[in-house]
Amino acid sequence: MLLFNDYKKIIYEKIRKIYSINENDMEISNNYGDFTLKIFKINDKPEIIYKNIKNALNEDFIDKIELNNNYINFFIKSSSMVKTVNDSIDTFGKYPNTFQDTSKALIEHTSSNPTGPIHVGRIRNSIIGDSVFRIIDRYGYRSCTQYFVNDSGKQVISLYLGHMKYHKDEDLTVENLLEGYQKIYKEKEENPEINKEIELLGEQYERGDDELIQNIQKTASVILDSIKKSLKKLDIEISTYVWESNFILYGDVNKVLNELSDYLKEDGKAKYIEIGDKKIFLTRDNGTSLYFTRDIAYHLFKAENFDWIIDILGEDHKDHAKHLDYVLNNYLDFNAKVNYLFYGFVSLESGKMSTRKGRIVTLDDLYDKTVDESIKIIKEKRPEYDEEKIKEISNGIALSSIRYNIVKVNANKPLTFKWSEALNFEGDSAPYIMYSYARASSILNKSGDYNEISDNYNDHEKKLIKAMYVYPYYLESSANYLRPDIIANYLLNLVKAFNEFYLNCPILGDPEMKKRITLLKIYKKIMEDSSNLIGIKLLNSI
RNA sequence: GGGCUCAUGGCCUAGUAUGGAUAAGGCACCGUCCUUCUAAGUCGGUGAUCGUGGGUCCAAAUCCCACUGAGCCCGCCA
């Protein structure tokens, strides 16, 4: 829960005492004052409503109230808004302050099969997931992230078998493993016997063959470590890793099967559950478990320790999640709140991404190219910077750009990855945001420290002040709707307001310097806070 | 075939949850501003019957129906 001086709420509560309105009738306004109330539905003449509302509100933070057709617009004193933000930062070190929620949230993201490098399609999962985590955490939940490592399906067994067949006596390297993995899928097409082998290994695995389990985990770990390394480049570190096989070995999967036994039907020896007109299989003919069953066990496990579970999933998992949710809530003792956040697929300009056809852009590729492009531009624009500084800035720009370009688009929209856009550092981009922060820092470096709030701000200052004051509303809706893109959008508008201020309001040596320095300090603080939510790395100079 | 999702200037995106005041940004294109704090910036201009057709409503990009196009799912894979 957010704690701040919420003028919108104060006004709303007062009006509600005289008119029946709901929260949606009042919103933040962009062109007509600070907050606006729609009065279409109020059964009274606008002039009368206006008069009554004006009389009911004699708050000293209100600058003026205007009637405009079927809207009443409220103007808040800029000095009150600055004071609200400034006091909060002075007292709590942040704006808004939060009330720590006692419930615990778990965000599961990425969880991609450890059978290959992470590519720009998968990265949408990690970037959205990590941002949601940061937002929920900032909002006041005790949060952590988790990666569900698949070490018990056919894919990982194939990875292991590929290595045993083709690179047995060689080092366990990512390259060797990938080569073996691709080879085995190719051979499968000509030689169906391979599937038998995989099936047998699967049975052996589920019986709890220690040596086999350790070997498979060892191969999976090699790939997993490389995934971790790639994610770290984007400042993404996942709190905990949970191995799928644990749910088989420690009996959780069997427990699930027992608890569901009343609802299970059999097809040969395989067991399934009917949901609607669909048969959802939980075990195979040979008795081994399926992903669906293990995921049920996993969710029961999550619910033991967390009150709020958030799964970040590709849209191809929609049906899986629907069925999972149905079983959890109808057939099992399950009390946690679960949100499934789906994201649309990322395609390339050349078409669908495909690992087998080699048509992917890996995160490492993307990162390296973005760093290179950035270095090129820095050398051109800032010839005075030394190598170390160039390195710091280009890494910051690469990580911020990649994250920003992905996170700014609403998750449920499909996304086409384009190099021209990924490497564009102008306009609606991460460097645009970083640049404005660097400008603010640069001035502060050259100035003294002042804390002055005025009763008189010009339009440019007012616009910036409002953009800063309004931060909690966006933080709140991004948390409520699990939408990091709302923060990306907010940030862009905040920066626009700052750029306008920067260009029109001289600071150093100006008679109005002190109050403007104060705005600058607040701006930096809110920038740091909000940028961090979506992983943009701000630097004092770029 | 059934189900889910998406469709907004040449291109990309916001706005759709909660219907309401001139549909907002960016890229590209044309023009403006560096003897003031970082021009990766600023300001102005060109460009949209919000996929199509119906419906509901005082009011529809937003809600409902149908259609078209794209993506995803419909496995004893994950």
Side-chain angles (χ1 to χ4, degrees):
Chain A
M1 194 173 73
L2 302 179
L3 301 171
F4 72 110
N5 212 347
D6 188 346
Y7 298 131
K8 179 167 165 260
K9 198 174 173 189
I10 295 168
I11 294 171
Y12 169 73
E13 298 289 353
K14 289 249 163 153
I15 297 173
R16 213 171 50 155
K17 283 183 183 155
I18 50 173
Y19 286 112
S20 120
I21 55 169
N22 63 51
E23 276 185 73
N24 302 325
D25 294 329
M26 203 170 154
E27 55 195 27
I28 302 168
S29 168
N30 291 318
N31 306 317
Y32 307 90
D34 297 313
F35 303 113
T36 190
L37 177 74
K38 293 177 260 184
I39 55 171
F40 295 90
K41 289 172 202 153
I42 300 177
N43 202 2
D44 224 344
K45 274 191 176 160
E47 292 76 18
I48 307 284
I49 301 170
Y50 173 63
K51 213 175 133 194
N52 288 337
I53 286 180
K54 222 177 159 182
N55 286 336
L57 284 162
N58 57 354
E59 317 303 315
D60 57 350
F61 60 77
I62 292 178
D63 188 24
K64 58 180 175 178
I65 304 173
E66 288 179 348
L67 173 68
N68 195 338
N69 296 319
N70 281 298
Y71 297 87
I72 293 175
N73 299 316
F74 302 88
F75 295 76
I76 309 298
K77 281 181 191 159
S78 294
S79 54
S80 300
M81 291 196 267
V82 184
K83 207 170 170 323
T84 291
V85 181
N86 202 43
D87 286 355
S88 179
I89 291 172
D90 270 359
T91 316
F92 307 108
K94 59 183 173 182
Y95 170 78
N97 191 22
T98 49
F99 177 77
Q100 178 85 57
D101 201 290
T102 50
S103 50
K104 288 186 286 180
L106 179 72
I107 295 93
E108 181 206 337
H109 71 77
T110 311
S111 295
S112 49
N113 284 346
T115 49
I118 197 148
H119 58 70
V120 300
R122 292 264 177 235
I123 204 64
R124 197 174 188 188
N125 189 320
S126 318
I127 289 173
I128 291 171
D130 188 59
S131 302
V132 166
F133 157 68
R134 291 169 187 232
I135 289 165
I136 295 298
D137 195 59
R138 172 68 176 87
Y139 192 67
Y141 286 90
R142 292 187 287 160
S143 321
C144 55
T145 52
Q146 202 161 75
Y147 187 124
F148 191 38
V149 187
N150 167 21
D151 64 330
S152 53
K154 280 185 182 172
Q155 278 84 347
V156 204
I157 291 172
S158 303
L159 182 77
Y160 166 76
L161 192 61
H163 183 257
M164 293 309 284
K165 273 189 184 304
Y166 311 114
H167 298 282
K168 194 169 190 273
D169 299 317
E170 297 169 44
D171 287 343
L172 270 176
T173 62
V174 173
E175 291 71 32
N176 277 343
L177 285 171
L178 284 181
E179 215 254 351
Y181 184 62
Q182 277 157 9
K183 231 177 189 171
I184 205 139
Y185 266 88
K186 215 170 157 191
E187 202 185 313
K188 255 188 212 178
E189 286 171 23
E190 292 137 34
N191 182 7
E193 282 301 302
I194 301 256
N195 284 322
K196 270 264 158 46
E197 257 181 272
I198 291 167
E199 199 177 305
L200 284 172
L201 283 170
E203 287 174 34
Q204 201 178 332
Y205 194 98
E206 294 227 1
R207 279 198 306 267
D209 183 321
D210 273 346
E211 202 190 331
L212 180 67
I213 290 170
Q214 274 184 22
N215 284 335
I216 286 181
Q217 289 194 348
K218 215 159 108 191
T219 51
S221 292
V222 173
I223 306 278
L224 187 63
D225 286 345
S226 83
I227 291 174
K228 282 186 196 172
K229 216 168 124 192
S230 301
L231 288 176
K232 193 141 190 237
K233 291 180 184 168
L234 298 189
D235 256 2
I236 296 173
E237 288 187 75
I238 293 164
S239 340
T240 45
Y241 290 78
V242 171
W243 293 76
E244 233 181 85
S245 58
N246 289 351
F247 296 101
I248 300 166
L249 298 176
Y250 299 139
D252 304 75
V253 163
N254 279 332
K255 217 172 126 193
V256 168
L257 291 172
N258 285 336
E259 282 173 28
L260 290 174
S261 58
D262 289 349
Y263 315 102
L264 292 181
K265 296 183 177 170
E266 289 183 2
D267 182 351
K269 282 182 185 163
K271 290 180 180 153
Y272 67 90
I273 200 162
E274 263 180 350
I275 300 176
D277 54 359
K278 292 224 163 70
K279 290 180 181 177
I280 311 293
F281 280 86
L282 283 92
T283 62
R284 298 191 180 90
D285 207 27
N286 67 4
T288 53
S289 67
L290 287 151
Y291 167 63
F292 187 70
T293 323
R294 303 192 289 263
D295 208 21
I296 292 171
Y298 177 40
H299 278 78
L300 292 173
F301 166 76
K302 289 192 206 183
E304 280 174 27
N305 300 302
F306 295 92
D307 312 283
W308 186 14
I309 294 166
I310 299 166
D311 294 353
I312 315 293
L313 300 166
E315 61 180 350
D316 54 334
H317 279 60
K318 276 184 178 174
D319 279 352
H320 169 80
K322 203 168 89 187
H323 298 146
L324 175 72
D325 199 64
Y326 185 84
V327 171
L328 288 173
N329 289 302
N330 289 290
Y331 298 145
L332 293 164
D333 181 24
F334 183 81
N335 302 312
K337 170 186 167 192
V338 190
N339 282 106
Y340 306 93
L341 175 51
F342 300 105
Y343 62 92
F345 273 50
V346 180
S347 55
L348 299 174
E349 283 175 282
S350 54
K352 216 174 125 181
M353 228 174 293
S354 163
T355 314
R356 276 183 316 221
K357 289 174 189 158
R359 219 165 45 194
I360 55 164
V361 176
T362 66
L363 171 58
D364 292 342
D365 282 349
L366 172 59
Y367 186 83
D368 292 345
K369 273 202 183 161
T370 313
V371 169
D372 288 347
E373 178 71 11
S374 176
I375 289 174
K376 209 176 91 195
I377 294 172
I378 298 166
K379 284 192 168 159
E380 191 185 300
K381 290 182 190 278
R382 316 268 189 265
E384 70 278 16
Y385 286 0
D386 61 27
E387 285 301 314
E388 198 182 326
K389 197 166 177 96
I390 291 174
K391 196 181 167 200
E392 186 199 7
I393 297 171
S394 57
N395 285 345
I397 286 181
L399 113 86
S400 305
S401 290
I402 293 168
R403 291 188 67 134
Y404 184 76
N405 279 324
I406 301 262
V407 87
K408 72 178 180 181
V409 180
N410 193 326
N412 69 352
K413 300 250 181 180
L415 194 65
T416 304
F417 176 84
K418 291 183 183 139
W419 280 109
S420 61
E421 280 171 23
L423 300 180
N424 175 31
F425 299 151
E426 284 169 14
D428 183 6
S429 68
Y432 177 83
I433 292 164
M434 298 166 74
Y435 184 63
S436 95
Y437 180 83
R439 281 171 146 184
S441 299
S442 175
I443 296 176
L444 281 173
N445 280 340
K446 295 173 187 161
S447 78
D449 185 22
Y450 305 101
N451 225 12
E452 187 182 285
I453 293 171
S454 162
D455 283 326
N456 197 11
Y457 288 103
N458 68 29
D459 285 350
H460 306 296
E461 291 162 334
K462 279 184 175 166
K463 212 166 156 183
L464 175 63
I465 289 167
K466 183 185 168 186
M468 300 193 292
Y469 171 78
V470 112
Y471 175 45
Y473 299 112
Y474 292 91
L475 174 55
E476 177 159 55
S477 69
S478 75
N480 285 343
Y481 299 107
L482 303 176
R483 283 192 42 193
D485 58 300
I486 288 177
I487 295 295
N489 233 283
Y490 164 75
L491 206 43
L492 186 70
N493 284 317
L494 175 64
V495 168
K496 275 184 198 300
F498 174 80
N499 282 343
E500 192 188 311
F501 161 80
Y502 177 88
L503 200 89
N504 293 291
C505 306
I507 298 171
L508 296 175
D510 193 90
E512 315 238 33
M513 172 171 76
K514 292 182 181 174
K515 67 172 187 187
R516 289 179 178 160
I517 292 288
T518 307
L519 295 184
L520 229 45
K521 276 161 52 190
I522 298 173
Y523 176 68
K524 277 191 74 172
K525 202 79 192 171
I526 293 184
M527 280 291 281
E528 287 158 15
D529 199 306
S530 54
S531 294
N532 183 252
L533 298 181
I534 53 171
I536 288 182
K537 203 175 201 97
L538 298 173
L539 301 166
N540 286 318
S541 58
I542 75 164

